[in-house]
Amino acid sequence: MKIIGGPASQLLSSRVAFALDCELALCEFKNFPDNELYIRILDDIGQEAVIIQSTVTDSDLIALLQLIDACATANRIHVIIPYMGYARQDKQFNPGEALSARVIARTIEADNVITVNIHEEAVLDHFRCRAVNVNAAYLVGEYIRDMGLNQPIILAPDKGAKELAASAAYELKIDYDHLEKKRLSGDTVQVTPKNLNVAGRDVIILDDIVATGGTMAEAVRMLKNQGAGDIYIACIHPVLTGSALIKLYHSGVKDVIATDTIEKAVSKISVAQLLAGIIRDL
Ligand code: R5P
């Protein structure tokens, strides 16, 4: 088995290869003068190829498609997409709209596809091959365990992320809840935890994705007003566009914690061992 790391997932691919004691293929990535991408796998690909590439940008997706094509001589190709872009575009709201998540899924030809905390699991049905999603939330729980927090509570910023908070809290047996918006008047909205009181407690707000940071920054402000102790932001996928990090620290968070499905400075948790376990069972 050969691990082929795409340009967006070089560190994670190296960590997975190390965990599996597998060879990591040497690849060349460059742009032509007109900006088109060029990829070449320099090592022998062998019979079984595992391509690891997050698709944060459109170029990342092109690179993934190129890598799949470059592995055409392999008997089996497994594609790991630690962060799958466009997975939030999983519904058509208006006539004439593209179902973008479906388009992306249909372009990927492989024997197996594995995603990590894909935004919407229903997207897996659009792949033309076996596709499974793995949940890395427990790794956030493990990380939190060693932080020495005061009466910690894991909060999802909305009902949609409640299951994520639950799975991060499960092993630790700590409290979790989700934030709920209450309309107090025509122009006043209050955001509070649905069941628990955060006063004096350290809080970890956990979501699958932090993109602009808007959702989290708003939640931090509300929780500070409610007397929370230290507030941390955690996510699986640190998309972090533009000034998202500044927005978060400006809102008063103590730290931002994420996994390496997207390789950023805040990617303090690695999903490598989790992926290695899944790859071993393919
Ligand atoms: C959306 O449903 C996701 O789970 C996140 O809540 C969202 O992507 C966060 O976006 P932003 O950081 O831009 O507020």
Side-chain angles (χ1 to χ4, degrees), residues 258-278:
T259 81
D260 56 358
T261 59
I262 300 175
E263 296 172 3
K264 296 268 168 90
V266 296
S267 305
K268 296 160 186 159
I269 301 168
S270 183
V271 298
Q273 291 289 350
L274 170 64
L275 290 176
I278 303 287

Side-chain angles (χ1 to χ4, degrees), residues 1 17 25 41 52 61 75 93 97 116 169 193 214 240 255 257-258 260:
M1 186 182 273
I41 301 170
I52 305 179
L61 176 66
N75 281 346
F93 294 99
E97 284 178 350
V116 181
L240 300 173
D255 206 358
I257 302 152
D260 56 358

Side-chain angles (χ1 to χ4, degrees), residues 83 88 119 157-158 160-161 164 206-217 237 239-241 244 247-248:
Y83 168 73
R88 285 185 288 179
H119 181 68
D158 53 40
L164 195 69
L206 173 64
D207 206 349
D208 61 341
I209 299 167
V210 176
T212 65
T215 306
M216 289 295 203
H237 309 298
V239 174
L240 300 173
T241 57
K247 200 185 285 176
L248 293 175

Side-chain angles (χ1 to χ4, degrees), residues 205 212-222 233 244 247-248 251 253:
I205 319 174
T212 65
T215 306
M216 289 295 203
E218 185 56 22
V220 172
R221 268 189 289 275
M222 294 288 174
I233 298 294
K247 200 185 285 176
L248 293 175
S251 73
V253 298

